[in-house]
Amino acid sequence: MKTVLSRRLFLSTAAAAVVAPAAFAAPPTESLRPVLRGDDLFRQAIPSAQELIDKARLNGAVTFSLADAETGAVLEQNGPLDGMPPASVTKAITALYALDTLGAAHQFQTRIMATGGIVDGEVQGDLILVGGGDPTLDTDGLAKMADDLKAAGIIGVKGGLKIYERSLPVFPLIDADQPDHVGYNPAVSGLALNFNRVHFEWKRENGSYSVLMDGRSGSYRPDVAMAAMEISDRSAPVFAYRDAGTRDDWSVAKSALGNGGSRWLPVRKPGLYAGDIFKTLAGAQGIRLRDMALIASLPKGEVLVTRSSAPLRDILRDMLKYSNNLIAEMAGLSATVYRTGTPASLRASAAEMNVWAKANLGMDAPALVDHSGLGEDSRVTAQDMVTALVRVYGSGTLKPLLKSISLRDSKGRPVQDHPIKVEAKTGTLNFVSALAGYLTAPDGRVMAFAVFTADMPRRATLTRAQRERPEGGRAWNGRSKRLQQGLIERWGAFHVAADSASL
């Protein structure tokens, strides 16, 4: 087939050779603008994909696939059938799974119920905080529920506070291979608060440290009792976790604290965390609660307060923008529970999503083990990812939810008027980097692409403790992202609307 190229689409792709470690991708050494050339020079001047891969020096596997988003015509591929860790690119599949199953307008509901009736404003039985799968509930939202409870006329509770979190299965963490203390690997259940993270803050005064553990959000900073921190005279590990039954017990190496600081730690007991903070907030309204306990089944009772989340579509847009693992897992689990009932594990829920992806996205062999991409055992081929992107492009379901990715100049600054536009999902694990989505060429042609890179032998050498900031990881990731930009620049320059040749 004769390939027709427009000279006005030729863009300089010298950017692949430029180094900018902090940038999203390779900064170009000159402005990317159309340059007039002869037809032969036009193509010859654009680096080949292999040249870009060789220059990246990733010492690992590189796979990619590129197709016309409207027709599905394959334009370029490298190792398209090799299964690769998709990292957080998984979240794009999860978003489609949840939208198709639950609907874009779906809202999660958190409720407060009462048993035993109400007499003169006093609940005769128990007050129950009922999680409904909302991954976005924060302390401000829970405070509003306490306000609404008071406005409903409740002044006391004869029984205790009961917590129901089993609208979704309960898991103490997303991925067991992660360090204990990383906030992106919290517990998962049907009741989440502040993304199931607790805020740890410390200050050094007169040679000793003061420590605060709280459940802060925009307007409130309630202390928590279900998470405790001990300062230990040790050099390593920096953080250590112990399950104390009804409490998360943490210790931190004194030598790592300096003069002060703060960080978010994962919550392993989300129901007790939410209940702890709700007791404080209700108490501020004069409603004293006692005998807090988790319950495995939900009794009949009267609903006193209901709080609805934002529509699912808005939640998923934020999930993709900020790559929030907890939102992904709770949205994916909610879809699976709706479709087939409660799964035994995250892996089992992901297996159901794999079945759905084959039937609805045309994917051949997705092998995801969770909904967030945090687990390194997940595998997706570049061809499968692009097949899914092409399948949903015409519906307009995913592209508007994806984050706009800025290509950068020689100083690492976003080029606001760059002629190539990219909406995509990034994915990063140690020595794993992925990018998948849509690029719009200067002539308006939209292409679906997926780029997966991974150095799994090097990743396998890491201990669990090294996985937060491994030596060499940032530099490797920077080279991978520069390769991604180099490929995107190549594709935006090389493939014009009239071109449908396989290369």
Side-chain angles (χ1 to χ4, degrees):
M1 177 180 295
K2 182 178 180 180
T3 301
V4 180
L5 293 170
S6 170
R7 293 176 179 176
R8 68 185 177 84
L9 292 179
F10 176 72
L11 306 176
S12 170
T13 53
V18 181
V19 176
F24 160 74
T29 55
E30 56 189 84
S31 178
L32 300 183
R33 291 293 184 272
V35 179
L36 296 177
R37 302 284 189 187
D39 286 347
D40 291 339
L41 289 177
F42 169 59
R43 284 199 166 190
Q44 292 174 9
I46 301 174
S48 69
Q50 190 59 53
E51 288 172 334
L52 296 171
I53 292 171
D54 292 343
K55 189 176 289 292
R57 297 179 293 107
L58 290 177
N59 299 321
V62 177
T63 72
F64 64 78
S65 184
L66 176 75
D68 184 284
E70 292 187 351
T71 68
V74 175
L75 304 174
E76 291 190 29
Q77 290 186 330
N78 184 68
L81 300 181
D82 296 340
M84 296 284 281
S88 284
V89 167
T90 300
K91 293 181 175 74
I93 302 300
T94 299
L96 294 169
Y97 178 56
L99 286 169
D100 183 64
T101 304
L102 302 174
H106 178 78
Q107 293 177 282
F108 301 101
Q109 294 188 337
T110 306
R111 297 174 292 162
I112 299 173
M113 295 175 56
T115 63
I118 300 169
V119 178
D120 297 329
E122 185 177 47
V123 175
Q124 300 301 293
D126 295 323
L127 197 70
I128 309 174
L129 179 61
V130 182
D134 181 4
T136 64
L137 180 66
D138 63 5
T139 297
D140 284 9
L142 202 57
K144 179 62 167 58
M145 294 186 73
D147 290 346
D148 291 345
L149 186 63
K150 180 181 180 181
I154 302 303
I155 60 173
V157 179
K158 279 191 173 181
L161 174 63
K162 300 299 187 288
I163 311 296
Y164 181 71
E165 60 178 346
R166 293 190 173 273
S167 60
L168 297 179
V170 180
F171 306 118
L173 42 74
I174 297 171
D175 178 38
D177 291 333
Q178 302 297 321
D180 284 333
H181 62 279
V182 292
Y184 55 76
N185 188 36
V188 182
S189 80
L191 180 60
L193 187 69
N194 303 324
F195 301 118
N196 286 342
R197 300 178 306 168
V198 62
H199 192 259
F200 164 47
E201 185 174 359
W202 66 95
K203 292 181 181 179
R204 185 174 183 175
E205 297 176 347
N206 300 321
S208 62
Y209 287 95
S210 61
V211 171
L212 178 66
M213 302 285 275
D214 65 51
R216 66 181 58 189
S217 58
S219 302
Y220 298 87
R221 296 187 176 186
D223 293 345
V224 299
M226 60 72 57
M229 179 64 71
E230 176 187 359
I231 298 175
S232 175
D233 285 320
R234 64 171 188 260
S235 58
V238 174
F239 287 95
Y241 172 78
R242 183 177 70 89
D243 185 343
T246 58
R247 190 177 66 198
D248 286 340
D249 274 0
W250 293 93
S251 66
V252 61
K254 184 176 181 180
S255 60
L257 292 181
N259 290 323
S262 65
R263 71 169 295 154
W264 290 95
L265 294 172
V267 166
R268 300 282 175 238
K269 305 176 189 305
L272 295 179
Y273 176 56
D276 187 359
I277 292 178
F278 182 71
K279 281 182 65 176
T280 299
L281 297 171
Q285 298 293 342
I287 306 170
R288 306 301 174 189
L289 300 173
R290 61 183 186 274
D291 300 330
M292 182 176 69
L294 301 174
I295 56 175
S297 59
L298 190 61
K300 293 182 179 180
E302 178 183 353
V303 176
L304 304 178
V305 176
T306 299
R307 179 173 177 82
S308 298
S309 73
L312 179 62
R313 189 176 188 274
D314 296 343
I315 292 174
L316 295 176
R317 181 189 292 110
D318 285 346
M319 177 195 75
L320 294 170
K321 180 178 180 180
Y322 299 108
S323 205
N324 186 283
N325 290 335
L326 184 65
I327 294 178
E329 298 301 346
M330 291 181 70
L333 283 168
S334 294
T336 298
V337 168
Y338 184 88
R339 287 169 57 85
T340 64
T342 302
S345 63
L346 286 175
R347 189 178 289 263
S349 182
E352 180 62 29
M353 186 167 75
N354 292 332
V355 171
W356 173 88
K358 291 179 183 180
N360 293 272
L361 300 180
M363 300 177 78
D364 181 59
L368 302 171
V369 300
D370 57 32
H371 301 288
S372 63
L374 190 57
E376 70 174 10
D377 292 337
S378 284
R379 293 292 183 272
V380 170
T381 69
Q383 180 171 291
D384 261 357
M385 193 67 217
V386 167
T387 295
L389 292 168
V390 170
R391 177 69 66 92
V392 301
Y393 174 68
S395 69
T397 302
L398 181 63
K399 188 172 182 288
L401 302 183
L402 293 172
K403 182 178 179 179
S404 294
I405 304 295
S406 296
L407 303 185
R408 297 176 181 265
D409 65 15
S410 59
K411 296 183 178 180
R413 299 171 301 194
V415 180
Q416 301 298 331
D417 60 346
H418 198 292
I420 301 173
K421 306 301 179 186
V422 180
E423 289 85 29
K425 181 69 192 79
T426 60
T428 304
L429 297 171
N430 296 319
F431 303 106
V432 171
S433 184
L435 184 69
Y438 304 95
L439 72 92
T440 304
D443 70 336
R445 185 183 197 181
V446 181
M447 290 169 265
F449 72 91
V451 184
F452 296 138
T453 62
D455 188 346
M456 297 308 288
R458 189 170 183 183
R459 180 176 169 82
T461 66
L462 301 177
T463 66
R464 189 165 177 258
Q466 291 173 323
R467 293 199 170 202
E468 187 173 19
R469 294 185 183 90
E471 182 178 357
R474 184 177 180 182
W476 188 94
N477 187 60
R479 293 197 300 274
S480 180
K481 291 186 180 301
R482 290 192 290 278
L483 170 60
Q484 292 165 6
Q485 176 160 325
L487 289 169
I488 287 170
E489 290 178 343
R490 166 184 164 74
W491 296 334
F494 198 93
H495 297 285
V496 294
D499 176 30
S500 60
S502 296
L503 303 176

